[in-house]
């Protein structure tokens, strides 16, 4: 068997050239092993050759970052780029640094939106005015003259793209002026050839957005998120405001999807092809909105979510609601008689002692003719031990409350009340409630900021779309005092005990 010689020629094993080639052969073998280790192949050492363990490389010293400059203070804002409508103002700052320091991070310029009084009627839009500056001037290297109007189909929205009137071409006259709208109806503005959005801080390109609590740049920590699923089976239909006006789908009519201004906010109503409906509003709302759903099949579930300020009582579940429903408006025909859940016995006849006719009484939840014509007469609040006991035992809710606000709604009066001390509640009661009085005469007299002992009833109408607290005009409403607190606790001992089932 032949091997390879020093120059690659085959020679017999043990021949005269074998000894002379033994040393180079070992060198070639070591070179091959060294090459194999270089590409990551695990190879053992050659026989008779000592293994050398390489020393680990010294750790690299962290590279020292060069110092950066620091920004000086912002300068004053420039005048607005427009004389009416929308425009932009500019301010600048300087980077203070030495020759060895790196430039300052960030932008030396900042733009903000400035909104002036509206432009007078018939004014030429800002972009159209810029195009008209080139009317009847030579362009394109020809003596032809053209009249120019804005063209909005070009790729760059912040170029001054103008269409030649009567022709099918447009020309780009550089960039539009700062403060030009990016497009028709767009809220964004062009600055330096870029289309920038206006943040909630008024700064262009800042990216600042209000959080769900309405705080610019906030992180939702000033309000609470409420997410629930309604699966009841007794709601009615439509969306109405607190004074009974329908916003959507009321009075047997169907509203178009789109935006609606209501309750101090813009509400967006959408209907999907599969019949799914959604209502969405950024808020905040300045009055209650009541959502009612007409169910023609088992309720598949109504998902809703909203944000509340921290410290605001969360709406209760089931029967309870912190701001109970208002009086609804009929849908084409008068509603049937609405009895109370706990009907009150007819009061005994009383001498009026005055020639003025008393206010006409009406069923709960309906306006009385007396209130409508101003025939209110004299308030006759309940008082005395027997009246206190009777009203206490027949009332569904007895509590000490502070009057937060008073509002006339139709021919009724609505009080927003902070519940302080509950003495009796046959149904759930939460820290804030609406208490309704079926007249506008101020009977019983309750002043805002005052604290009263109130004895009221639960009112649920025939269709069971209302669930509210009702205080009759001759009901028990007395200014709260420590003595009144003691007397009402004593009255609780005189109510008949319920019979065992």
């Amino acid at each position: 068997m032949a091997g390879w010689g020093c120059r690659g020629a085959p020679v017999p094993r043990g021949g005269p050239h074998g000894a002379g080639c033994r040393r180079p052969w070992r060198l070639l073998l070591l070179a091959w092993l060294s090459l194999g280790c270089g590409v990551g192949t695990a190879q053992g050492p050659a026989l008779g050759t000592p293994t050398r363990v390489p020393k680990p490389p010294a750790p690299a010293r962290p590279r020292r970052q060069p110092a950066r400059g620091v920004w000086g203070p912002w300068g004053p804002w420039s005048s607005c780029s427009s004389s009416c409508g929308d425009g932009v103002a500019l301010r600048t700052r300087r980077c203070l640094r030495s020759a060895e320091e790196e430039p300052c991070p960030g932008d030396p310029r900042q733009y903000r939106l400035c909104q002036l009084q509206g432009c007078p009627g018939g004014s030429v839009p800002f972009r159209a005015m810029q195009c008209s500056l080139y009317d009847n001037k030579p362009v394109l290297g020809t003596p032809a003259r053209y009249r120019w109007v804005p063209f909005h189909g070009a790729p760059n929205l912040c170029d001054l793209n103008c269409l030649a009137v009567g022709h099918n071409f447009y020309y780009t006259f550089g960039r539009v002026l700062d403060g030009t709208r990016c497009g028709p109806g767009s809220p964004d503005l062009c600055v330096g050839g870029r289309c920038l959005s206006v943040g909630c801080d008024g700064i262009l390109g800042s990216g600042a957005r209000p959080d769900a609590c309405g705080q610019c740049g906030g992180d939702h920590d000033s309000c609470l998120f409420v997410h629930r699923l309604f699966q009841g089976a007794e709601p009615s239909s439509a969306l109405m405001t607190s004074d009974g006006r329908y916003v959507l789908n009321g009075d047997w009519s169907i509203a178009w999807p789109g935006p609606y201004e209501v309750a101090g906010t813009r509400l967006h109503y959408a209907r999907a092809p599969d019949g799914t409906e959604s209502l969405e509003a950024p808020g905040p709302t300045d009055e209650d909105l009541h959502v009612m759903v007409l169910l023609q099949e088992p309720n598949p579930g109504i998902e809703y979510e909203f944000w509340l300020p921290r410290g605001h009582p969360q709406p209760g579940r089931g029967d309870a609601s912190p701001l109970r429903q208002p009086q609804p408006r009929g849908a084409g025909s008068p509603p049937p008689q609405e009895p109370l859940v706990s009907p009150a016995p007819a009061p005994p006849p009383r001498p009026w002692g005055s020639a003025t006719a008393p206010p006409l009484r009406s069923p709960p939840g309906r306006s009385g003719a007396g209130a409508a014509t101003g025939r209110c007469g004299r308030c006759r609040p309940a008082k005395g031990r027997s009246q206190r006991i009777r009203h206490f035992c027949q009332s569904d809710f007895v509590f000490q409350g502070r009057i937060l606000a008073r509002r006339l709604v139709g021919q009724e009066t609505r009080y927003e009340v902070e519940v302080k001390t509950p003495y009796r509640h046959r149904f759930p009661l939460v820290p804030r409630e609406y208490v309704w009085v079926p007249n506008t005469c101020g009977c019983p007299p309750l002043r805002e900021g005052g604290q009263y002992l109130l004895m009221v009833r639960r009112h649920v109408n025939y269709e069971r779309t209302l669930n509210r607290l009702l205080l009759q005009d001759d009901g028990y409403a007395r200014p709260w005092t420590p003595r009144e607190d003691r007397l009402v606790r004593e009255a609780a001992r005189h109510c008949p005990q319920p019979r065992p089932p």
Side-chain angles (χ1 to χ4, degrees):
M1 181 176 180
W4 289 99
C6 296
R7 299 181 186 271
V11 295
R13 182 183 296 271
H17 297 284
C21 291
R22 186 175 301 162
R23 185 183 181 109
W25 175 263
R26 180 175 294 172
L27 291 175
L28 287 174
L29 178 61
L30 291 175
W32 177 81
L33 290 172
S34 176
L35 179 62
C37 293
V39 295
T41 305
Q43 300 288 347
L47 295 176
T49 304
T51 302
R52 294 185 179 182
V53 180
K55 294 182 179 180
R61 293 183 178 180
R63 185 178 179 181
R64 184 179 180 182
Q65 295 292 335
R68 290 182 177 273
V70 294
W71 289 110
W74 286 106
W77 289 102
S78 69
S79 58
C80 194
S81 63
S82 178
S83 58
C84 65
D86 296 332
V88 294
L90 165 69
R91 68 176 180 178
T92 60
R93 59 181 177 176
R94 289 185 57 193
C95 181
L96 309 177
R97 68 185 184 99
S98 63
E100 294 80 15
E101 291 178 326
E102 293 288 324
C104 300
D107 200 323
R109 294 170 299 277
Q110 195 175 66
Y111 299 87
R112 76 172 179 184
L113 175 69
C114 50
Q115 294 178 306
L116 308 175
Q117 70 277 6
C119 296
S123 300
V124 178
F126 196 28
R127 188 183 286 261
M129 181 271 294
Q130 297 172 59
C131 284
S132 67
L133 296 177
Y134 297 92
D135 286 352
N136 300 317
K137 292 184 179 179
V139 293
L140 306 176
T142 69
R145 302 290 194 270
Y146 303 95
R147 191 162 58 87
W148 303 95
V149 293
F151 176 69
H152 299 288
N156 193 337
L157 302 177
C158 291
D159 283 346
L160 183 58
N161 305 301
C162 303
L163 179 71
V165 176
H167 301 271
N168 61 351
F169 67 90
Y170 72 96
Y171 190 78
T172 300
F173 296 97
R175 294 175 177 174
V176 296
L177 297 177
D178 288 349
T180 305
R181 291 284 175 184
C182 297
S186 170
D188 303 331
L189 301 178
C190 292
V191 173
R194 295 185 301 154
C195 183
L196 299 179
S197 298
V198 182
C200 58
D201 54 0
I203 304 299
L204 288 161
S206 68
R209 294 289 179 266
D211 65 3
C213 313
Q215 302 293 323
C216 183
D219 56 358
H220 315 291
D221 60 350
S222 62
C223 56
L224 297 173
F225 180 62
V226 179
H227 181 201
R228 291 179 183 162
L229 180 68
F230 177 79
Q231 293 180 305
E234 295 180 348
S236 179
S237 62
L239 175 73
M240 67 163 54
T241 58
S242 59
D243 59 359
R245 292 180 297 105
Y246 287 112
V247 180
L248 297 170
N249 302 341
D251 289 330
W252 305 105
S253 64
I254 303 298
W256 289 99
Y260 291 83
E261 300 290 337
V262 59
T265 187
R266 169 167 285 200
L267 182 143
H268 186 77
Y269 173 51
R271 280 202 306 264
D274 62 357
T276 303
E277 296 176 281
S278 66
L279 299 172
E280 192 171 339
T285 55
D286 56 12
E287 63 175 298
D288 295 332
L289 290 176
H290 305 277
V291 181
M292 296 178 289
V293 181
L294 178 62
L295 296 177
Q296 298 179 344
E297 58 185 19
N299 183 10
I302 302 169
E303 189 174 9
Y304 64 97
E305 58 188 40
F306 53 89
W307 295 81
L308 285 176
R310 288 192 178 274
H312 189 288
Q314 291 197 30
R317 300 175 183 267
D319 264 337
S321 171
L323 302 176
R324 297 181 185 246
Q325 300 94 323
Q327 170 66 27
R329 190 176 62 182
S333 60
Q337 182 73 22
E338 299 172 356
L340 284 173
V341 171
S342 303
R350 298 172 296 183
W352 293 104
S354 171
T356 305
L360 299 179
R361 303 289 182 241
S362 59
R366 299 200 183 184
S367 58
T373 58
R375 296 166 52 200
C376 288
R378 195 156 51 95
C379 294
R380 297 184 176 276
K383 58 183 178 180
R385 181 174 182 272
S386 61
Q387 291 288 319
R388 184 185 309 110
I389 295 174
R390 181 176 70 86
H391 279 277
F392 183 95
C393 297
Q394 293 178 353
S395 295
D396 297 315
F397 307 95
V398 179
F399 57 90
Q400 172 199 356
R402 183 168 68 92
I403 307 300
L404 301 178
R406 175 180 180 268
R407 181 177 179 181
L408 300 182
V409 181
Q411 298 300 323
E412 296 183 301
T413 305
R414 187 189 74 187
Y415 293 96
E416 186 173 349
V417 182
E418 177 186 5
V419 177
K420 307 287 284 186
T421 304
Y423 299 96
R424 175 184 175 91
H425 54 95
R426 297 176 55 198
F427 304 96
L429 192 67
V430 291
R432 269 181 55 193
E433 294 281 5
Y434 278 155
V435 173
W436 292 79
V437 177
N439 67 67
T440 58
C441 303
C443 291
L446 305 176
R447 61 176 180 83
E448 294 185 26
Q451 297 201 37
Y452 295 88
L453 181 69
L454 302 175
M455 300 185 184
V456 299
R457 298 186 178 184
R458 179 180 185 240
H459 171 217
V460 178
N461 67 344
Y462 182 81
E463 295 89 352
R464 302 189 64 84
T465 58
L466 283 184
N467 173 19
R468 61 182 187 169
L469 307 186
L470 186 69
L471 173 63
Q472 294 286 5
D473 46 11
D474 58 351
Y476 196 97
R478 307 282 297 175
W480 187 90
T481 61
R483 179 176 181 273
E484 195 71 31
D485 173 81
R486 176 175 57 81
L487 293 176
V488 75
R489 294 182 186 275
E490 292 178 358
R493 297 198 291 264
H494 295 275
C495 294
Q497 296 296 324
R499 295 179 180 180

